[in-house]
Every structure is written in C-alpha cells, then in structure tokens.
C-alpha cells in the first residue's frame, strides 16, 4: 500500500513546492494552498463559500491530527500511522479506554484458560496423596471461550495492519509474527475439535504468552534489551561453565572409587559419575547443598574442605557476582538507549503536532523564523480534546496562556509538554480559619509536626506492649488466656488514635486531611480498629479481669482481639516516611511496583511457557505413595533417605496441573533445596529431566534475578542522589514519583531540530515541505 499524504484525499501543494529552498517558497508553502486533484490551483483564501468550507474542513483535520500526535507523544507511541480523517477516527477508537480494556481482558482470559482446561487446577490441594478428582470442563467450553479471544486478536491485528499501512506492515516483525501465531493457534484449535479435545499436546498453549508480549511496547523494548545483553552474559556463562567442568573433573579424580568404604562415601553420594558430579557442583554453585556435599570428605580429612571452599569462592562469590555486575552495566546501557528512543518518540509526536498546526494560519510576515508559530487559541482548542491527566492539562494550559503575543514557537511548544515528565503533583488545600483563641490553639496542636512524632511514639509503645503480652501468653491455648490485658491495652491506644485523627481533621479540614496519603492510611486503619473495638464491646462488653466470655457471633473474643492487633501491626508502618533511609527504601519499593510491569510481564511469559512444558513432560510423574500400584520406593518398609523428596513430604510439588506447576517452578527459582527436585524427577522420569530444571534456573535465578537486582540498584542510587541534592526552593512542597524515563532523564540527549525534521520527512503518511 502506498503512503498517503497528510490530508488523505486532499494533497498539499507545498509537499511538491519547487521553491522549497527559499524563504519565499517556505512562506508561500506555509500559506497553505491545497487541491483535491493534486494540483496547486485551489487557494485557501478564496472568497467563495466553498473555499471557506474547504478551509474549515482543513482546519478541523489539522486539529484532529495534532490531537492524535500529542496523544501519541504522551503514550510514547509511534506516529508512523495513517493520518486521514477516517484512519484518525479509527486510531483514537482503537486506543480508547474501552477498546484497550476489552483487548486486555481478552489477553487475560486467554492466559487464564490454563487454570481450568485439562488438566484443571480447580481442586483444594495439589498434594497427590489427598487430591481428589478435580472438575474437568466439557469439550468445547474452553475452546469456545478461546475462539472468542482469537476473534478479538484477529480484529486487533487487522486494525493495526491497516493503520500502519502496507509498507510499514511488511517491515514489522511483530505484526508478521502476530499473524503467524494466530494462524498456528487456529489450526491447533481446529485439531483439538477434530480429536474431541483428547489430543495429548496443544501447541497453542505455548503461543499464548506471545499475545501478551506483542501488546506491550515496554515489554518488547525490555525483551530487546535482554537479547542484546545476552552476548555479554554469554562470556561470563562460558567462563562459569568452564569453572564447573574443570572442578568436576578434578573432583572425580580427587574422590575416585576406592576399596575403603569409609573414604568412599563422598564418591557414592556425590561423585559417582559425570552427571552426578556436575549436578552436585552445580547445586553447590547456588550454595543449596552446602555444607552437605562437603561433610563426607571433610570427616575424613580437613584438607578436603579446601576443594569445596575454593570452588565456592571462585564460582559463587566471584563469577556469579561478576555476572551481576556485567548485567547491571550492559542492561543499564541498553535500557537507557530504549528510554532514549522513547524520548525521541515523545519529541517527534509533539513536533509533528506543531508542524501540522503551524500551517493552519495565513502568514504574510517576511521573516521565516517569525512565521513558524502556533496560535495559542488554536493550541488551547487542541489541548481541550487531548486525553491526558487533568493536572498536566491544567499546567500546560496556564503556560500557554502566559505567552504575551499569543504565538508559540517550536521550542516553547516542546517546553509546554515538560509537565508530562512529572508524576502527580499533590497540592494541599488551605486549612480552615477559626476566630476563637482556643480553637486556634487546637488547630496549632493538630497541625504541628510534634503530634506526628508523638503518634509514632505511641504506635511503638502499642506494638511493644502487644508483643510483651503475646510473649507471656505464647504457650497458653485460647481457653486458658486472660484477654483482659490485651483488651485494655487496645482500648486505650485506639482511643488515642481516634483523638489524633480528630485533631488532624480539625486542623487541616476534611479535604486537607485526606490530601495527605499518610493520613488516609492512618484514618482507614483507625476507623477499622474503632469498628472492631465497638463490635467487641457490643458482643463481649468491656474488658475486665477474667474476661473469657463464651463465643458470640462469627468470631470468638480471642479472634477479635487478634484481628485488632493485626491492624495495629500494620499501623506501625506509619513511621517509615519519618526515617530518611527507610523512606528511601520504601519509595524504591513503590517505584519498582510501578516500573516492574515489563519485567514482571516477561517473567510471567517465561513462567507460563515453562509451566506448560513441565505439564507436557512430567504430568503424572510423581505417584501417589498410598496407591497400591505405585512404583515409589517409599512403599517398602525402609524409611526414605534423609533429605529426599519423599522424606521432606514434597508431594504437592508436581506438574499435574498449571497452578501446581507454577508453584513448583517458584520453589526451584528460589533454589532452596532445588537439588531435591533434580533428584526426584530424574528418578521418577529420566536423568535428562535435569536439563529442564537447569534451563529454568538459568533463565529465572541467573538472568531475571540479576536484571531485577540491576533495576533495584539503578532506582535506589538515583533516589539516593536526588535526596542528597539541595531543594530548588525552600517552599517547594511538591513530590514527584519516579518513572523509568525519569530514572535516566539526566543522561538522555535531547534530539536536535534537524533530527526531528528528518524523521518527519521520512514519515510514510506525512509529507512536509521544509
């Protein structure tokens, strides 16, 4: 499909203006003569009603294009899409909240089908000893739901392909793969129906995470960064493999088979053959079997410990940490490049909006520099139609109104949107005014910072008193407890919390009180505690010595008191913002929650794929030890070996359904006792099963965890550096939250005007003359 001009059917004559190089040519081009036939005969300034209507249509189209370009800049979207009126309407509809919500719901439902389709996870437990027959959906139920999601995906890829145009479509690997994955999934879905849902392998289950990947631009960027980081990680991984192999050879020679049974214990348990030796040292690399693997040899001679200590120092302490440093260094560089590309997209979208709007007015000034501007009235008209946060729109509107001549040049147009780089600005409403001196004193007390300090001290006292009572009564059962102490303590402290909340509401006003996040947290917990305390008094009356009434209602007295104390423990978290280091750590955690969507999404994809593969490989591999036809060795009279899968009662960890597979993969990722899984599944299935778990360990524990550590380091270091800088102004009471873009903001380079214009000139559907 050929690229279309900016105005769709109406072609701009300035796109082929022969006087492009001169100022007069630019000025004439910016006067905006258009023709529906491609010629330059029709002027926008004709006196006829048709000419005025033509001008009004063009101005309306310019506004729509500018609105879409600005929305693309806000969301860091590419502007390489069709810009004719019909396509713009379809584009905005596609990115509307309802349409994106439906698409996200389709992706979620498509992924969640793994929990209910065969083998179903709808059972109370995954333990093979106690698990009953789970509900299995009838053939066609999940397939019908899945087909509906496929229809939405087909509509999604069709709209995307149309909007970008044929030339961009054939260059988009993600769109081509999207169609390929949909085709394979539909063929596999048809095969399932032909076999009445009794086929053993479903290819489309492995392809489902792709629909999540292609929908998130940030996930695609992160995946690209990970792919580019792999060569640098490969060098350290190769060195790590060489280290493991050399020590394995040396260990097999050092702990060779001998006639002395006492000396031969190390060989029998850990170095019997090459696979066992590699497995033992690989697990030691994660320190999961330390010092177990060393004890048999260390019991014979002290010098044997040097082998294991040296292996751990080189492998775990040096090479693994070196891998973390390399991943942090390389991934930070590639992530910064990705964020640089996002910044370019934002600046390009804003500049495209400026270029579109700057052609709207008839300009007859001589100086070209003075003619390139956007009228503030037109800009405000565009801004009103843009979907963006209210606080950003308000700030941009105020800046636009501040231009004295009503003209906005290109640089100022870009600076207007600097507010997009800031997160929510929280402004506190003015406090109420009281005339009475007594009320003013109460207001001063309620708004003073010492009241917060006093509240923190009271919370600590409350927590300590609860802890002391719980330690004293730790060995007592519920019937032997005297709940008078805890009841009286809770009553006293909850009254103080209510008094503190009332003073703050009186001092700041209701709106002012809820404008502080800490007050919302405190107030919510205080109301919950008050409701629970009133419910306790209404059911069991006031606390007194020997307070052990019979159970009334749903919860007993002890359960009510425990519930109150749980919320008191949560209220203790209010002290975090008042301690600088703790506030930085807590802020880093909160920022990670916001910025980890791409990382968490990629981990979800890996989890999903490995869980499906694990089900196909190991479903039913772990037998029921109580079954009469079980081949499990534990059915004999001999007890299972200490530390084995059977002795540790790891029966719920299996791959018999999707939910159980996810939990099993989590347990392996943590690498605590993961050698137990290696041994059990190699015994119940095949020794080659170790490759599956080692591959999962490499992807999850080695690569993803190190990426996660890199993001934590970058986020915390940036927050620490910002906290050490002086504030811009002493009265600045504005708090901005961290984003991925802000994390690297100071290291990013602003794209030049020439670079932006060059990009716009290569736009497949937008033709500019300058």
């Amino acid at each position: 499909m050929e690229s279309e001009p900016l105005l769709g059917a109406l072609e701009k004559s300035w796109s082929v203006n022969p006087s492009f190089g001169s100022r007069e040519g630019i000025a004439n081009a910016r006067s905006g003569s258009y023709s529906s036939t491609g010629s330059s005969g029709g002027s926008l300034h004709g006196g006829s009603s048709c000419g005025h209507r033509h001008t009004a249509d063009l101005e309306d189209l310019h506004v729509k294009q500018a609105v879409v370009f600005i929305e693309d800049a806000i969301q860091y979207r590419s502007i390489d899409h069709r810009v004719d009126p019909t396509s713009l309407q379809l584009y905005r509809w596609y990115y509307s909240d309802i349409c994106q919500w439906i698409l996200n719901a389709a992706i979620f439902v498509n992924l969640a089908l793994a929990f209910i389709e065969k083998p179903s996870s709808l059972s109370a437990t995954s333990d093979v000893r106690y698990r009953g027959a789970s509900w299995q959906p009838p053939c066609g139920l999940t397939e019908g739901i899945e087909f509906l999601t496929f229809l939405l995906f087909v509509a999604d890829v069709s709209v995307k392909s149309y909007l970008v145009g044929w030339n961009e479509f054939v260059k988009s690997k993600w769109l081509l793969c999207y169609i390929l994955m949909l085709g394979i999934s539909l063929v596999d879905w048809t095969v399932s129906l032909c076999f009445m849902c009794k086929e053993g392998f479903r290819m489309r289950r492995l392809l489902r995470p792709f629909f999540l990947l292609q929908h998130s631009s940030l996930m695609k960027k992160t995946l690209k960064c990970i792919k580019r980081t792999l060569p640098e990680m490969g060098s350290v991984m190769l060195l790590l493999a060489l280290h493991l192999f050399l020590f394995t050879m040396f260990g097999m020679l050092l702990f060779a088979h001998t006639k002395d049974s006492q000396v031969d214990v190390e060989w029998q348990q850990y170095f019997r053959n090459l696979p066992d030796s590699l497995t033992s040292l690989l697990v030691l690399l994660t320190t999961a079997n330390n010092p177990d693997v060393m004890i048999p040899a260390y019991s014979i001679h002290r010098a044997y410990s040097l082998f294991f200590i040296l292996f751990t120092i080189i492998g775990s302490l040096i090479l693994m940490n070196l891998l973390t440093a390399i991943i942090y260094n390389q991934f930070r560089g590639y992530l910064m490049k990705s964020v640089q590309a996002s910044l370019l997209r934002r600046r390009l979208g804003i500049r495209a909006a400026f270029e579109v709007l700057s052609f709207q007015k008839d300009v007859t000034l001589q100086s070209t520099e003075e003619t390139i501007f956007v009228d503030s009235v037109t800009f405000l008209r565009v801004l009103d139609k843009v979907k963006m946060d209210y606080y950003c729109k308000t700030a941009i509107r105020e800046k636009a109104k501040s231009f004295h001549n009503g003209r906005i040049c290109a640089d100022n147009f870009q600076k207007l949107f600097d507010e997009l780089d800031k997160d929510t600005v929280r402004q506190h409403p003015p406090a109420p005014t009281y005339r009475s001196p007594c009320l003013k004193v109460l207001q001063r007390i309620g708004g003073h910072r010492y009241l917060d300090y006093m509240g923190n001290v009271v919370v600590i006292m409350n927590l300590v008193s609860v802890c002391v009572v719980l330690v004293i009564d730790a060995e007592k059962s519920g019937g032997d407890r005297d709940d008078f102490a805890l009841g009286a303590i809770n009553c006293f402290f909850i009254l103080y919390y209510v008094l503190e909340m009332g003073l703050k509401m009186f001092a700041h006003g209701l709106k002012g009180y809820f404008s502080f996040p800490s007050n919302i947290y405190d107030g919510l917990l205080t109301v919950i505690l008050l409701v629970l305390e009133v419910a306790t008094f209404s059911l069991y009356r006031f606390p007194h010595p020997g307070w052990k009434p019979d159970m009334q209602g749903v919860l007993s007295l002890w359960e009510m008191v425990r519930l109150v104390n749980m919320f008191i423990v949560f209220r203790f978290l209010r002290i975090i913002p008042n301690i600088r280091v703790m506030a930085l750590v807590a802020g880093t955690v909160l920022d990670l929650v916001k910025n980890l969507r791409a990382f968490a999404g990629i981990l979800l994809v890996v989890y999903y794929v490995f869980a499906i593969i694990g089900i196909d490989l190991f479903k039913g591999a772990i037998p029921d030890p109580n079954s009469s036809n079980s081949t499990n060795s534990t059915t004999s009279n001999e007890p299972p070996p200490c530390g084995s899968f059977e002795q540790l009662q790891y029966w719920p960890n299996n791959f018999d359904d999707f939910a159980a597979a996810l939990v099993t993969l989590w347990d392996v990722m943590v690498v605590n006792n993961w050698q137990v899984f290696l041994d059990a599944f190699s015994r119940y299935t095949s020794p080659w099963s170790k490759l599956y778990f080692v591959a999962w360990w490499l992807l999850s524990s080695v690569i993803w965890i190190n990426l996660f550590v890199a993001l934590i380091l970058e986020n915390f270091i940036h927050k620490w550096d910002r906290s050490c800088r002086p504030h811009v102004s002493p009265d600045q009471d504005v708090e901005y939250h961290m984003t991925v873009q802000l994390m690297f903001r100071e290291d990013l380079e602003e794209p030049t005007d020439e670079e932006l214009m060059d990009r716009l000139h290569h736009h497949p559907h937008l033709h500019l003359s300058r």
Side-chain angles (χ1 to χ4, degrees):
M1 182 178 294
E2 296 181 358
S3 62
E4 297 185 1
L6 174 64
L7 301 177
L10 302 174
E11 182 179 346
K12 288 191 175 184
S13 64
W14 44 265
S15 65
V16 291
N17 196 327
S19 57
F20 161 60
S22 64
R23 287 189 175 186
E24 292 78 3
I26 295 176
N28 293 333
R30 286 192 169 275
S31 65
S33 56
Y34 304 91
S35 172
S36 60
T37 62
S39 66
S40 57
S43 175
L44 280 175
H45 308 289
S48 64
S49 60
C50 181
H52 288 300
R53 185 167 58 252
H54 181 65
T55 303
D57 292 340
L58 291 178
E59 290 181 354
D60 184 65
L61 180 58
H62 285 150
V63 170
K64 292 179 180 178
Q65 291 168 346
V67 168
V68 170
F69 286 146
I70 292 174
E71 289 178 349
D72 288 341
I74 293 173
Q75 301 297 330
Y76 298 102
R77 293 195 297 254
S78 172
I79 65 171
D80 295 338
H81 53 77
R82 297 174 185 265
V83 289
D84 58 276
T86 303
S87 299
L88 290 174
Q89 185 177 1
L90 178 62
Y91 186 84
R92 294 198 76 193
W93 172 83
Y94 175 78
Y95 283 106
S96 62
D97 293 338
I98 182 64
C99 186
Q100 290 300 304
W101 184 90
I102 292 174
L103 190 56
N104 290 331
I107 296 173
F108 173 79
V109 170
N110 186 263
L111 291 174
L113 286 174
F115 289 99
I116 60 176
E117 62 188 2
K118 297 179 182 179
S120 173
S121 302
L122 302 179
S123 59
T125 178
S126 62
D127 196 316
V128 295
R129 298 170 297 176
Y130 314 123
R131 182 183 58 207
S134 59
W135 176 82
Q136 301 297 335
C139 181
L141 177 61
T142 58
E143 286 75 15
I145 298 174
E146 191 173 20
F147 183 71
L148 292 178
T149 63
F150 287 157
L151 291 180
L152 290 173
F153 295 154
V154 170
D156 177 46
V157 70
S158 301
V159 172
K160 282 183 177 178
S161 302
Y162 169 77
L163 288 175
V164 299
W166 175 256
N167 292 333
E168 295 298 314
F169 168 75
V170 295
K171 293 187 293 185
S172 175
K173 296 179 181 178
W174 282 101
L175 284 178
L176 294 175
C177 289
Y178 197 177
I179 294 178
L180 178 63
M181 297 302 173
L182 269 176
I184 296 175
S185 299
L186 287 171
V187 170
D188 188 65
W189 179 85
T190 306
V191 171
S192 295
L193 292 184
C194 293
F195 283 90
M196 299 301 294
C197 311
K198 295 181 180 179
E199 78 283 6
F201 176 72
R202 299 182 182 183
M203 172 64 74
R204 65 183 185 278
R205 301 181 72 185
L206 291 173
L207 305 181
R208 287 172 183 169
F210 175 84
F211 303 126
L212 175 64
L213 277 177
Q214 65 81 29
H215 187 61
S216 171
S217 60
L218 190 57
M219 285 178 61
K220 287 187 279 190
K221 291 178 182 178
T222 306
L223 192 64
K224 188 176 181 180
C225 292
I226 294 175
K227 185 182 71 172
R228 292 180 176 180
T229 310
L230 289 178
E232 285 75 15
M233 289 190 292
S235 59
V236 180
M237 298 292 290
L238 183 62
L239 186 60
L240 199 61
L242 181 62
H243 164 73
L244 179 63
F245 180 75
L246 290 179
F247 269 83
T248 299
M249 295 294 100
F250 189 70
M252 293 183 68
L253 294 173
L254 185 63
F255 306 112
H257 185 36
T258 62
K259 295 181 179 180
D260 190 346
S261 59
Q262 185 178 4
V263 180
D264 216 25
V265 175
E266 187 74 35
W267 173 82
Q268 290 178 351
Q269 294 185 5
Y270 301 106
F271 291 90
R272 192 178 187 89
N273 49 50
L274 181 61
D276 289 347
S277 303
L278 279 171
T279 303
S280 300
L281 291 183
L282 178 64
V283 175
L284 180 61
L285 196 64
T286 64
T287 68
N289 60 350
N290 184 63
D292 299 354
V293 69
M294 180 181 68
I295 293 301
Y298 183 53
S299 301
I300 304 301
H301 199 284
R302 299 176 187 271
Y304 284 126
S305 63
L306 297 178
F307 170 83
F308 300 98
I309 293 174
L310 188 62
F311 175 83
T312 305
I313 290 176
I314 297 176
S316 300
L317 301 182
I318 297 179
L319 293 180
M320 293 297 288
N321 288 313
L322 180 62
L323 180 64
T324 301
I326 290 178
I327 290 177
Y328 169 71
N329 184 58
Q330 296 295 328
F331 186 76
R332 182 186 185 277
Y334 287 121
L335 185 59
M336 188 170 64
K337 291 179 181 178
S338 176
V339 177
Q340 180 74 53
S342 296
L343 177 65
L344 177 61
R345 281 190 173 188
R346 170 162 289 181
R347 298 293 183 253
L348 192 62
I350 296 172
R351 186 54 186 263
F354 174 81
E355 291 296 322
V356 168
L357 293 177
S358 62
F359 281 98
Q360 187 160 340
K361 295 294 182 182
D362 180 20
V363 181
T364 58
L365 298 178
Q366 297 298 322
S367 176
T368 303
E369 288 77 7
E370 294 180 0
T371 64
I372 307 175
F373 71 89
V374 172
D375 184 76
S376 60
V377 176
T378 304
F379 173 72
L380 293 176
R381 176 186 169 194
V382 171
L383 188 65
D384 289 337
K385 297 183 179 182
V386 174
K387 294 180 181 178
M388 61 190 305
D389 292 333
Y390 175 77
Y391 73 92
C392 272
K393 182 178 289 189
T394 303
I396 294 174
R397 183 183 290 110
E398 294 300 323
K399 284 188 177 181
K401 292 179 179 179
S402 64
F403 293 100
H404 63 280
N405 56 1
R407 297 178 179 179
I408 308 174
C409 64
D411 291 339
N412 290 333
F413 196 86
Q414 288 281 1
K415 292 178 181 178
L416 283 174
F417 292 91
D418 288 344
E419 295 294 328
L420 296 176
D421 293 327
K422 302 172 184 178
D423 209 336
T424 305
V425 180
R426 187 173 297 276
Q427 297 179 347
H428 307 295
T433 303
Y434 300 103
R435 296 182 178 180
S436 172
C438 295
L439 296 181
K440 289 182 179 180
V441 172
L442 286 177
Q443 185 181 30
R444 191 176 299 111
I445 294 174
H448 204 281
R449 65 178 184 276
Y450 285 163
L451 183 65
D452 290 329
Y453 298 156
M454 182 64 183
N456 293 335
V457 173
V458 171
V459 168
I460 295 175
M461 293 171 56
N462 191 183
L463 194 64
V464 170
S465 60
V466 171
C467 182
V468 170
V469 174
L470 291 178
V471 170
I472 294 175
D473 296 340
E475 300 296 331
K476 297 180 181 179
S477 63
D480 297 333
R481 295 177 184 272
D482 186 357
D483 297 320
F484 168 70
L486 271 180
I489 291 172
N490 291 340
C491 181
F492 170 76
F493 284 107
I494 289 173
L495 285 177
Y496 174 82
Y497 298 150
V498 173
L499 176 63
E500 180 188 27
M501 182 177 68
L503 281 174
K504 288 186 176 181
M505 283 186 176
F506 179 80
H508 300 288
L510 194 61
K511 292 184 178 180
Y513 177 83
F514 288 110
S515 66
F516 293 90
S518 59
N519 288 343
I520 297 176
Y521 181 79
D522 284 348
L524 178 62
L525 290 180
T526 300
V527 170
I528 294 175
L529 289 172
L530 181 62
V531 170
L532 289 175
E533 197 70 6
V534 171
T536 302
F537 292 161
S538 62
L539 291 175
Y540 302 105
R541 301 191 179 182
F542 289 93
H544 54 272
W547 193 35
K548 293 186 292 184
D550 296 332
M551 179 176 174
Q552 302 288 336
V554 180
L555 299 176
S556 66
L557 175 61
W558 169 236
E559 290 170 340
M560 296 282 286
V561 173
R562 281 196 304 169
L563 190 58
V564 169
N565 290 319
M566 288 178 186
F567 284 104
I568 289 175
V569 172
F570 280 112
R571 203 176 189 278
F572 175 74
L573 299 178
R574 60 169 284 172
I575 72 169
I576 290 178
N578 298 320
I579 303 176
R580 180 187 174 193
V581 178
M582 290 181 64
L584 283 174
V585 174
T588 303
V589 173
L590 292 177
D591 289 336
L592 285 175
V593 172
K594 295 189 297 182
N595 297 329
L596 268 182
R597 289 178 297 176
F599 290 89
I602 292 176
L603 182 63
L604 173 63
V605 168
V606 179
Y607 256 100
Y608 200 100
V609 172
F610 266 82
I612 296 299
I613 295 175
I615 292 173
D616 292 331
L617 292 177
F618 308 120
K619 181 178 180 298
I622 303 299
D624 183 1
N626 301 324
S627 176
S628 58
N629 57 354
S630 174
T631 59
N632 184 10
S633 60
T634 60
T635 56
S636 62
N637 295 328
E638 296 182 2
C642 183
S644 64
F645 187 90
E646 296 79 10
Q647 187 269 331
L648 293 172
Q649 304 287 301
Y650 278 6
W651 303 111
N653 291 294
N654 53 65
F655 290 89
D656 291 348
D657 58 70
F658 187 72
L662 292 178
V663 176
T664 303
L665 290 175
W666 170 265
D667 292 337
V668 176
M669 188 183 76
V670 177
V671 300
N672 185 29
N673 276 351
W674 75 298
Q675 72 276 8
V676 176
F677 298 93
L678 293 174
D679 173 69
F681 282 92
S682 64
R683 285 190 287 108
Y684 286 121
T685 57
S686 168
W688 292 101
S689 63
K690 294 179 180 179
L691 295 178
Y692 170 85
F693 292 99
V694 172
W696 170 247
W697 168 74
L698 285 173
L699 285 175
S700 61
S701 295
V702 176
I703 296 179
W704 192 88
I705 293 297
N706 280 300
L707 291 174
F708 182 64
V709 171
L711 183 61
I712 291 178
L713 288 174
E714 187 63 31
N715 206 331
F716 183 78
I717 291 173
H718 188 93
K719 268 189 167 293
W720 183 268
D721 291 342
R722 289 187 64 187
S723 67
C724 295
R725 299 173 188 170
H727 295 289
V728 178
S729 59
D731 57 345
Q732 184 177 5
D733 190 21
V734 175
E735 180 180 356
Y736 298 108
H737 300 282
M738 185 65 59
T739 61
V740 175
Q741 286 73 25
L742 279 179
M743 193 184 303
F744 301 98
R745 190 66 184 87
E746 296 179 356
D747 300 324
L748 299 179
E749 295 181 0
E750 285 287 341
T752 62
D753 187 70
E754 291 77 12
E755 183 180 2
L756 294 177
M757 293 305 301
D758 181 69
R759 295 269 184 159
L760 290 178
H761 282 305
H762 289 86
H763 192 285
H765 308 288
L766 183 65
H767 294 252
L768 300 178
S769 64
R770 78 172 185 90

